[in-house]
């Protein structure tokens, strides 16, 4: 008995559910969960099913391929621990939250390494017997520094996701393209408000009554990638920007961890710079 | 071209999605939306689809009936305005919110009448050209009073839902059974906390930091019916119980209107004293 | 026995609370509530007290004036119904919510009139016996149209607040200055995200997972005035922009009504394009 | 220059603010923050001020004592790290969150020790160089087991708070009285809903649409102590009780940490089984 997550996206047309469910039925598979969504505006169809039964990956993939339109994207995924690399700078809360969840067995992931441009977080990471690689940006051009990071990442095989747990350096298009759809970032505002540096200071200056955090995939345009998850908290006039920062950390870590969980469970489709999440 | 909402619940077994989607496909129907849920613990299957195509009610129902297990509940519903009767007592906010939504064309419903045990709300309801029937409980046994209400309701045909918009009298089992699965109530607490009278006073006495409201179907046990929707707001030590009541009204009206909308759109399954909502 | 709301803002210096409380104590006043805030960054002091006792307005004001720095702003306000004019366009929900609250006696305000650039809302407003003045912008320059509105407003005395309940026209600096700190607007996004036209469409295009609404005072820069209140709701990929709009209305009306209530209770200080709210 | 937190609660009477502010003014103290609340129903006055200036503890306390009613409770507290002992059982998330915050320097506290009735959490706690004492309840009467814990706690001086970070054993009245107003517990429901064992199972069975967590002081009646903080999240029919438990953990840890922070900053008054929080 094998279990598979089946993710399909396609131009919409009649009969897609019928065709997929026919494959499941004729192969005698159990449907453990099944979600569909049609984006009418763009005529796009999305489907995620979890099935189990007596079938192997290749047969299931082939059976789906045969019935679905050639334009359909089909993923058949065997549930297993994904490999992640975390990048951080100096802040401890988002990284710490992931480490604790990992320790608790909550995350279906292997943390291959933590890479930082400082050594500040080393003592924390080492407690958890996870490799910590400090790659200082000091004295390097941005591209040079990133190249060293890429080389470091290349030491690891099958990296599924790179999690930016408050990595505070801007990434170049080259870096981002290298790991397209694999980089998850936490931005400390409810995007698209307060793009860029020090969003809490911006929020304080604007006098908002709500602050938030946004987890998103990183694409070429800073802070403009597909949003995975957002959350907010209420603030008031007694909050200076450092108070906002302090309170905001609790939102940041929760939002990042939720987004990571969704990614690890293969629940996210990216389309038109947005996400469909089942 | 007709549009139908198809609601199916059944014991779970392999092939249900396949069978339903086969009916849709062979009848050349478009699936506008499709939601499924399997309650593993109870082995129950729930499905709601919205389809359109060149088919009539009887043919679609028959086609589904033929392929589905005999134990399956099948509803094929043509979208149209539902008929509702509102019951209220003296408070204006929840009733007023429904009246304004109705006026705005937001509610897919005809308000047949408002029934109250007082005449206080008459001037408001009359503004909207909706019949207002005051049936005082004064001098009547509970059963007698309810009988007069039932007679009043019986003057109207095809009543889909009875909405208790802060109707502050306890209903007898007889009344509730008469309109089984048709009565939607708003209770002014996050049930099951603060069942019974004056929940805001109870909340104040307990010193809670959050208050809420719960919309639910009414069954025989007061405040214990299947929950449709809940929402909360934060309060603090500066709130006396009347402040909680005042702030709570905004939650009550929003929760009741959301629940009513879900019912009018045939999005709710009731099962095991719970709701499955698509 | 008179009751007064005392609002003081001033440059901060030692002894302000002492001085104010000395005035209250030596005049034998009860303090019903008392709130203070010091903005350290800007060295500003804010205080709002509600007191009652055997004193008249002039004596209390004079006593405070004598002890406080000359730079202090002192307001001594007798609680009474404020006069408001509502401006709207075609949408019913925010206006309707205010009308229902007014009818319920929840709002400490007289609604002098509703002004709209369309006649669509007339039948609703007339139900509540409130004057409705349609002033079409059709065929007029913006300034001309506004001049007609100003003339209409000038027919009423002692207008405390102008409430923009989804008034969908941009106001000129001249109009805004004429009613400086008196215009309360509801914007249908969590500002500063999605300034300008059709924020729900913008939110949909950006793929956000949270939408919101912002009530703010209007100053010269559109959507950039001091924020009074914000609230949000979660959305997901199934929401088209019209679904966001529909769900957003519930947030808009609640946020506007909360902000209006704060204004009517004299709880808002405006300072540095922000609000301090007690 | 010293800084003090001044906490006063008293029967309400005229002049209390005047008297306290006179002490601050005549001693040339700066008021950094100032909060007051009068519970009219119970005629109780609460005040918390943070002041700095050239004064010592004894002089400030004496000055306040002289002017305030003899019934007033006066606390003058020098801000410093408080000493806490954490008790846990097997769950890692709430404990882990506190450890990470402590490591990040977010908590103004020394963690003297972690006591558990199991050894499961030892490896985590040891990473942070904090003493871990496993005191198994196996083979002991409840009173005996608690006596061993009390002896363990007695090894530490000046214990300010005992934090129950998912300590899953019921405490006897004797234990609770020994540490009256010092024990902070996290309960995994929005109390008073779902008192007792397995609240997530109870919530699932009841079909609620919101789950929550409650931090409270522990008094003799289980789950009935003064509530410090509550938070909730939305759930739906797809959540089994273990899903609720999993999602609920994020709420539990945030609520407990917020409550602990309030306690460490001396922001909580306990009165009439409720809290006043500034």
């Amino acid at each position: 008995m094998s279990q598979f997550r089946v993710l399909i996206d396609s131009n919409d047309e009649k009969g897609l559910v019928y065709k997929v469910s026919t494959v499941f039925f004729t192969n005698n598979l159990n449907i453990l969960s099944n979600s569909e969504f049609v984006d009418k505006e763009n005529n796009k169809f999305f489907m995620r099913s979890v099935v189990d039964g007596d079938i192997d990956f290749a047969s299931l993939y082939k059976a789906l391929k045969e019935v679905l339109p050639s334009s359909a994207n089909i993923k058949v995924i065997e549930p297993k621990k994904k490999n992640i690399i975390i990048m951080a700078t100096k802040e401890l809360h988002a990284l710490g939250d992931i480490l604790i969840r990992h320790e608790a067995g909550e995350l279906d992931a292997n943390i291959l390494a933590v890479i930082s441009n400082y050594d500040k977080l080393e003592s924390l990471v080492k407690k958890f017997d996870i490799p910590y690689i400090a790659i200082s940006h000091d004295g390097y051009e941005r591209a040079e520094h990133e190249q060293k990071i890429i080389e470091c990442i290349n030491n690891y095989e099958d990296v599924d996701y790179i999690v930016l747990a408050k990595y505070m350096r801007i990434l170049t298009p080259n870096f981002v393209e290298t790991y397209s759809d694999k980089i998850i970032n936490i931005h400390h505002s409810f995007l698209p408000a307060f793009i860029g540096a020090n969003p809490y200071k911006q929020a304080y200056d604007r006098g908002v009554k709500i602050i938030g955090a946004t987890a998103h995939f990183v694409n070429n345009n800073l802070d403009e990638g597909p949003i995975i998850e957002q959350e907010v908290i209420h603030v008031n006039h007694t909050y200076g920007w450092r108070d906002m920062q302090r309170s905001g950390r609790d939102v940041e870590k929760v939002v990042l961890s939720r987004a990571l969980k969704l990614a690890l469970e293969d629940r996210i489709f990216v389309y038109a710079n947005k996400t469909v999440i089942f």
Side-chain angles (χ1 to χ4, degrees), chain A:
Chain A
M1 288 285 287
S2 306
Q3 185 175 120
F4 295 101
R5 296 168 187 163
V6 176
L7 279 76
I8 296 162
D9 68 83
S10 168
N11 290 331
D12 191 32
E13 57 177 60
K14 264 185 210 170
L16 293 174
V17 176
Y18 163 72
K19 286 165 182 166
V20 174
S21 60
T22 300
V23 168
F24 294 163
F25 185 65
T26 57
N27 285 283
N28 203 27
L29 304 181
N30 289 305
I31 300 177
L32 302 180
S33 78
N34 211 20
S35 303
E36 297 127 46
F37 171 64
V38 175
D39 177 342
K40 305 259 183 294
E41 194 182 347
N42 297 297
N43 196 42
K44 283 281 167 190
F45 171 84
F46 302 89
M47 183 169 183
R48 178 186 185 272
S49 303
V50 182
V51 295
D52 65 14
D54 185 16
I55 195 166
D56 61 28
F57 166 86
S59 308
L60 179 52
Y61 185 84
K62 183 159 169 289
L64 290 165
K65 195 79 188 164
E66 278 171 11
V67 299
L68 287 169
S70 59
S71 67
N73 297 309
I74 304 168
K75 287 186 192 168
V76 174
I77 303 167
E78 199 164 352
K80 62 173 180 185
K81 287 201 178 193
K82 301 221 184 319
N83 295 317
I84 66 174
I85 284 177
I86 304 173
M87 291 173 63
T89 292
K90 287 178 175 176
E91 283 175 280
L92 197 142
H93 60 287
L95 172 61
D97 196 56
I98 294 172
L99 294 174
I100 290 289
R101 284 174 199 269
H102 184 253
E103 182 80 11
E106 271 184 53
L107 286 187
D108 215 17
N110 304 307
I111 304 176
L112 303 179
V114 174
I115 300 174
S116 173
N117 51 329
Y118 288 92
D119 58 10
K120 188 172 174 228
L121 301 168
E122 179 160 17
S123 69
L124 174 71
V125 173
K126 285 293 173 73
K127 289 184 204 307
F128 292 87
D129 294 322
I130 290 167
Y132 184 90
I133 302 117
I135 303 177
S136 175
H137 59 274
D138 210 23
Y140 294 100
E141 297 287 320
R142 189 175 301 274
E144 281 180 300
H145 180 236
E146 282 186 356
Q147 193 49 45
K148 292 161 72 84
I149 294 174
I150 290 172
E151 281 162 21
C152 174
I153 294 174
N154 285 347
N155 290 332
Y156 298 92
E157 285 177 14
D158 299 326
V159 176
D160 292 292
Y161 289 106
I162 295 168
V163 181
L164 307 184
K166 301 301 296 286
Y167 181 71
M168 304 307 278
R169 306 252 312 159
I170 293 171
L171 297 169
T172 67
N174 174 56
F175 188 94
V176 172
E177 280 159 29
T178 308
Y179 304 105
S180 165
D181 279 343
K182 290 189 165 186
I183 309 175
I184 297 173
N185 184 44
I186 181 72
H187 183 77
H188 35 320
S189 79
F190 48 58
L191 289 173
F194 312 129
I195 282 174
N198 208 339
Y200 291 120
K201 184 71 168 58
Q202 292 183 56
Y204 171 76
D205 288 341
R206 180 61 187 89
V208 295
K209 302 298 186 186
I210 284 177
I211 58 173
T214 305
H216 62 99
F217 287 112
V218 180
N219 64 10
N220 285 350
N221 301 308
L222 180 68
D223 300 340
E224 295 186 2
I227 293 171
I228 303 168
E229 174 76 358
Q230 299 188 291
E231 193 52 88
V232 298
I233 50 168
H234 288 256
V235 294
N236 58 45
H237 63 267
T238 67
Y239 284 68
W241 77 263
R242 289 195 177 282
D243 302 303
M244 290 184 179
Q245 185 183 49
R246 218 164 358 242
S247 298
R249 281 186 197 125
D250 280 1
V251 185
E252 294 168 23
K253 74 184 187 190
V254 167
V255 169
L256 179 59
S257 288
R258 277 192 213 152
L260 179 55
K261 189 164 184 289
L262 293 169
L264 296 176
E265 296 178 355
D266 301 303
R267 293 180 176 278
I268 312 175
F269 291 83
V270 172
Y271 171 69
N273 205 41
K274 301 185 199 181
T275 58
V276 169
I277 297 177
F278 290 128

